[in-house]
């Protein structure tokens, strides 16, 4: 047994030394993990400060606004962010910065006017949503301000994916996972001694999204050599829309699955219960701290392997990513499963007695960790249509579960619905990968 372990370690070391691709994956994943750790830590602090010093109802207000804004940004992006990353990855490999600029300009011509239109629509609908949908009339002024954050968030998400296409993984990870929460943590610490109104955290969120959105734009312009390059329109608007279309539908369905519980819960329970549910979700997804980091490295490799028809590299990247995700997530699962009451007590007395919902959410996240990156693999290898169909089925089942369970069981119902949606989504994605490529995408024991 000891000899077998030594042989295994020796094999891993030899692979690290002799395989540059694997070595780069490990190095980049480690850097991304550090940034992701910063994001998770500051996100945890934002949740803790908001719940502890401003109240669970203040956390609920933030959750409602972020849910609306997340859905609005999906419609504003039109799926252009991931499509843009795919095209930029190919152009960057050949150092074609003029083509990079061309496809970026084409994408911006689509997303900017649509995002502004969505912002106007949300501004007009703020009062009806607050009064008739959420039954919380005092939220109307906040929802009006929330509407104008649509474009900054769209710019943030679009530019972060664009820099990922350039393989600037550190910048991508920072903007996707850490920038907003880090800025919000600093501002919340500053405001704690100045103001304690329940809308302070959500106003801080608005400011941070706007500032980080502008910063992402500046980083992109510099990294893409935007002002030093000519414009070459190698990808037409029609091509970009054709690539983005299935991704757009898939992203909408995924966001609906993520936020349906919050929005439906908000129409049946007070803001405090919404805040507690979203805090539990944030705690449970802490187990996925490494997935986005490994994902950010693996996706360009999926594209490269598929473009060169190298199925062996595709399978190897998939398996390496799945193994790394599982091994890095397992210790976090054990800690959260053993000490749930202690962790929940950190957030205040409102969170006591919510161990069962946390266990339910952890069960759903364990499924995510087991299966690896099947949806990302499908998305990066031209199977967007299959992924779109899977997302529609999963979203319909998830939303139906929310509508059936939440009115009767509240937070518990939202957690069960989340598990149902997660199981359906991941099971169908794993099956689709096996059917298309002939291998299991998850971890192998």
């Amino acid at each position: 047994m000891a000899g077998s372990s030594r042989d295994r370690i020796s094999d891993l070391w030899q692979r690290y030394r002799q395989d540059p691709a694997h070595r780069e994956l490990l190095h980049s994943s480690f850097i991304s993990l550090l940034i992701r750790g910063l994001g998770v830590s500051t996100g945890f602090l934002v949740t803790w400060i908001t719940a502890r010093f401003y109240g669970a109802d203040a956390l609920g207000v933030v959750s409602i606004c972020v849910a609306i804004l997340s859905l609005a940004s999906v419609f504003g992006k039109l799926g252009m962010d991931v499509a843009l990353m795919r095209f930029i990855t190919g152009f960057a490999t050949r150092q074609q910065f003029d083509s990079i600029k061309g496809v970026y300009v084409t994408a911006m011509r689509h997303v900017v006017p649509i995002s502004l239109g969505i912002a106007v629509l949300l501004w007009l609908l703020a009062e009806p949503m607050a009064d008739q949908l959420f039954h919380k009339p005092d939220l109307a002024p906040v929802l009006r301000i929330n509407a104008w954050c649509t474009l900054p968030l769209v710019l943030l998400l679009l530019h972060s994916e664009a820099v990922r296409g350039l393989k600037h993984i550190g910048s991508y990870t920072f903007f996707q996972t850490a920038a907003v929460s880090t800025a919000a943590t600093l501002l919340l610490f500053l405001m704690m001694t100045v103001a304690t109104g329940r809308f302070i955290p959500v106003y801080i969120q608005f400011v941070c999204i706007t500032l980080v959105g502008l910063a992402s734009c500046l980083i992109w312009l510099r990294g893409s050599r935007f002002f030093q390059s000519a414009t070459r329109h190698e990808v037409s608007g029609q091509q970009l829309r054709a690539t983005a279309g299935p991704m757009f539908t898939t992203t909408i369905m995924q966001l609906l699955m993520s936020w349906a519980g919050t929005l439906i819960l908000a129409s049946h329970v007070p803001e405090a219960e919404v805040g507690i549910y979203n805090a539990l979700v944030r705690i449970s997804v802490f187990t996925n701290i490494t997935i986005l980091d490994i994902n950010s490295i693996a996706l360009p490799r999926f594209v490269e392997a598929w473009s060169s028809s190298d199925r062996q590299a595709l399978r190897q990247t998939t398996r390496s990513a799945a193994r790394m995700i599982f091994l890095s997530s397992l210790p976090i699962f054990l800690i959260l499963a053993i000490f749930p009451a202690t962790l929940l007590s950190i957030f205040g007395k409102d969170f006591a007695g919510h161990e069962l919902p946390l266990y339910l959410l952890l069960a759903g996240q364990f499924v995510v960790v087991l299966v690896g990156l099947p949806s990302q693999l499908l998305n990066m290898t031209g199977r967007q249509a299959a992924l779109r169909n899977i997302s529609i089925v999963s979203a319909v089942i998830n939303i139906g579960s929310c509508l059936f369970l939440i009115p009767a069981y509240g937070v518990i119902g939202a957690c069960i619905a989340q598990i149902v949606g997660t199981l359906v989504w991941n099971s169908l994605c794993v099956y689709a990968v096996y059917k298309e490529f002939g291998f299991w995408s998850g971890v192998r024991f």
Side-chain angles (χ1 to χ4, degrees):
M1 184 70 178
S4 176
S5 298
R6 284 195 298 269
D7 291 342
R8 178 62 176 163
I9 293 172
S10 177
D11 290 342
L12 290 173
W13 173 246
Q14 288 299 321
R15 185 182 177 194
Y16 174 81
R17 294 182 59 189
Q18 298 173 7
D19 186 346
H22 183 66
R23 188 164 59 247
E24 182 187 346
L25 177 64
L26 290 176
H27 286 175
S28 301
S29 294
F30 179 71
I31 293 171
S32 296
L33 178 61
L34 293 178
I35 299 173
R36 174 72 167 165
L38 172 66
V40 171
S41 300
T42 53
F44 183 86
L45 283 173
V46 168
T47 303
W48 175 71
I49 295 170
T50 303
R52 191 81 178 186
F53 295 95
Y54 294 91
D57 56 341
L59 186 60
V61 172
V62 174
S63 301
I64 293 169
C65 289
V66 171
I68 294 171
L69 203 53
S70 297
L71 292 173
S73 69
V74 172
F75 286 96
K77 291 184 304 178
L78 296 172
M80 294 283 178
D81 53 341
V82 179
L84 193 61
M85 185 273 290
R86 288 188 61 187
F87 284 114
I88 289 174
T89 298
F91 293 141
T93 303
R94 302 187 294 272
Q95 296 290 300
Q96 294 177 336
F97 287 97
D98 52 350
S99 297
I100 289 174
K101 181 177 179 179
V103 71
Y104 168 77
V105 170
T106 301
M108 291 295 282
R109 287 174 178 168
H110 287 76
V111 302
V112 171
I114 290 176
S115 297
L116 290 174
I118 292 171
V120 172
L121 180 63
L122 288 176
W123 186 83
L124 295 173
L125 293 175
E127 189 169 342
M129 283 195 298
D131 191 21
Q132 299 173 26
L133 179 60
F134 300 123
H135 313 293
K136 300 169 178 64
D138 58 330
L139 288 184
V142 176
L143 294 182
R144 289 193 185 96
I145 301 173
N146 190 54
W148 297 115
C149 291
T150 302
L151 180 59
L153 182 57
V154 167
L155 293 177
L156 166 60
L157 298 173
L158 190 80
H159 289 121
S160 62
E161 290 290 350
V163 297
R164 177 163 66 158
L166 297 175
K167 293 191 177 180
H168 297 175
I169 304 303
S171 296
Y172 162 76
T173 307
F174 179 70
F175 283 119
Q176 281 276 339
T177 67
V180 173
S181 59
T182 301
T185 300
L186 295 174
L187 289 179
L188 279 170
F189 272 122
L190 290 174
M191 293 298 295
M192 278 169 51
T193 57
V194 178
T196 57
R198 72 187 183 110
F199 292 145
I200 295 297
V202 77
Y203 290 148
I204 288 176
Q205 195 80 6
F206 298 156
V207 171
C208 293
I209 289 172
T210 303
L211 293 178
V212 173
L214 293 173
S216 69
C217 182
L218 295 175
I219 294 297
W220 160 254
L221 293 176
R222 180 181 178 182
S224 65
R225 306 178 190 175
F226 186 85
F227 296 109
Q228 291 79 39
S229 304
T231 304
R232 181 183 178 188
H233 292 286
E234 191 169 334
V235 179
S236 67
Q238 184 177 0
Q239 287 177 288
L240 194 59
R241 289 192 298 272
T243 303
M247 297 181 186
F248 172 56
T249 304
T250 301
T251 306
I252 290 176
M253 296 300 109
Q254 288 177 314
L255 259 293
L256 284 174
M257 289 176 63
S258 298
W259 290 106
T262 297
L263 294 175
I264 296 172
L265 199 61
S267 66
H268 290 88
V269 301
E271 292 101 320
E273 288 293 302
V274 179
I276 290 170
Y277 169 71
N278 277 273
L280 295 175
V281 171
R282 183 176 288 276
I283 293 169
S284 69
V285 298
F286 188 79
T287 56
N288 296 341
I289 183 174
T290 60
I291 288 183
L292 187 57
D293 311 310
I294 298 169
N295 176 41
S296 63
I297 306 299
L299 260 61
R301 294 194 175 282
F302 289 157
V303 175
E304 291 174 5
W306 182 248
S307 299
S308 59
S309 301
D310 190 347
R311 291 213 170 198
Q312 178 62 31
L314 195 66
R315 178 167 51 246
Q316 188 61 48
T317 300
T318 303
R319 289 179 175 175
S320 295
R323 188 182 305 112
M324 292 169 65
I325 289 170
F326 179 77
L327 292 176
S328 58
S329 300
L330 187 59
I332 305 173
F333 271 105
L334 294 175
I335 292 171
L336 293 179
I338 295 171
F339 305 107
T342 302
L343 182 62
L344 291 176
S345 67
I346 297 173
F347 292 90
K349 63 182 188 310
D350 292 337
F351 290 79
H354 286 86
E355 291 84 359
L356 177 58
L358 180 58
Y359 278 129
L360 292 172
L361 292 171
L362 286 174
Q365 292 305 312
F366 193 70
V367 173
V368 175
V369 166
L370 283 177
V371 301
L373 302 173
S375 62
Q376 293 87 334
L377 177 59
L378 292 171
N379 210 14
M380 293 295 105
T381 54
R383 270 61 178 185
Q384 299 97 325
L387 191 61
R388 176 199 59 204
N389 296 337
I390 290 171
S391 69
I392 292 172
V393 172
S394 302
V396 169
I397 292 175
N398 177 257
I399 294 170
S401 300
C402 287
L403 291 171
F404 178 74
L405 295 169
I406 288 176
Y409 302 104
V411 172
I412 294 290
C415 295
I416 295 173
Q418 187 81 358
I419 293 177
V420 172
T422 300
L423 281 172
V424 173
W425 166 263
N426 285 282
S427 298
L428 292 177
C429 285
V430 167
Y431 173 75
V433 168
Y434 185 81
K435 181 180 178 181
E436 293 287 344
F437 304 108
F439 60 82
W440 156 250
S441 66
V443 65
R444 297 177 60 151
F445 296 99

